[in-house]
Amino acid sequence: MAILFVFSGLPGVGKTTLAKALAPRLQAVHLRIDSIEAALKTSVLAISPAEDAGYVVAAAIAKDNLLLGNNVIADAVNPIEITRNIWMEAALGAKVKAMNIEVICSDEAEHKTRVENRPNDISAMTLPTWDAVKRRRYEPWKKHRLVIDTFEKPVDDSVDEIVEAFSQLVRYGSY
């Protein structure tokens, strides 16, 4: 049975790093909102800002892949309940389980360093400044989720933690 992995967290906490490391381990499709929104921006439609368009497109692609039996990783900030619910609707529509994963960096100085020094691997995207990250609206989670703190934790250890929670979800129905 396919599973939808819904990553969330502020920019610079390590969502994409974890998603890229996890995807081959679970043979999962990696859907990165930043890539989709950059493509919308550079398309003939020149959609910028993308508002909800990137999320809506990604959720549709996620559902299509889940219906094919593919695991899917949704890699997005998912800052508010509305965006998080888009993924739950895709999982429900495909009749699969979803695993919410909130990625954090508990050390503010380290988080700031990551935001200020990370490379930009998508040319059509402008990375947010530390001030923009700090001002960003990010609602607390109301639903159950796995919290992964990437501060002083190797990527492989975080991925192992997600894989273990995934195994529990498959075996027991919860993590």
Side-chain angles (χ1 to χ4, degrees), residues 37 40-42 45-51 124:
E37 289 181 348
L40 290 170
K41 180 180 179 180
T42 60
L45 298 175
I47 301 171
S48 182
E51 303 300 337

Side-chain angles (χ1 to χ4, degrees), residues 76-92:
V77 173
N78 285 310
I80 58 177
E81 193 167 357
I82 293 168
T83 59
R84 297 168 189 161
N85 287 339
I86 288 171
W87 304 111
M88 296 308 104
E89 290 170 14
L92 284 170

Side-chain angles (χ1 to χ4, degrees), residues 22 27 43-44 61-62 75 91 96 102 122 154-155 161 174:
L22 181 63
Q27 298 178 328
S43 76
V44 70
I61 295 169
D75 173 5
V96 301
E102 183 178 20
I122 303 175
V155 171
E161 190 175 340
S174 65

Side-chain angles (χ1 to χ4, degrees), residues 107-159:
D107 184 88
E108 188 171 323
E110 173 63 20
H111 187 192
K112 180 180 180 187
T113 298
R114 291 179 189 180
V115 168
E116 291 177 341
N117 296 311
R118 67 184 176 153
N120 186 353
D121 64 340
I122 303 175
S123 61
M125 185 178 86
T126 302
L127 293 175
T129 64
W130 175 245
D131 287 337
V133 170
K134 291 293 291 177
R135 287 191 314 268
R136 184 159 195 153
R137 179 178 174 199
Y138 189 86
E139 295 176 358
W141 272 84
K142 295 178 183 173
K143 296 179 181 166
H144 178 70
R145 83 259 184 231
L146 175 67
V147 178
I148 301 290
D149 186 351
T150 59
F151 176 60
E152 293 187 335
K153 185 190 278 185
V155 171
D156 288 341
D157 290 355
S158 294
V159 170

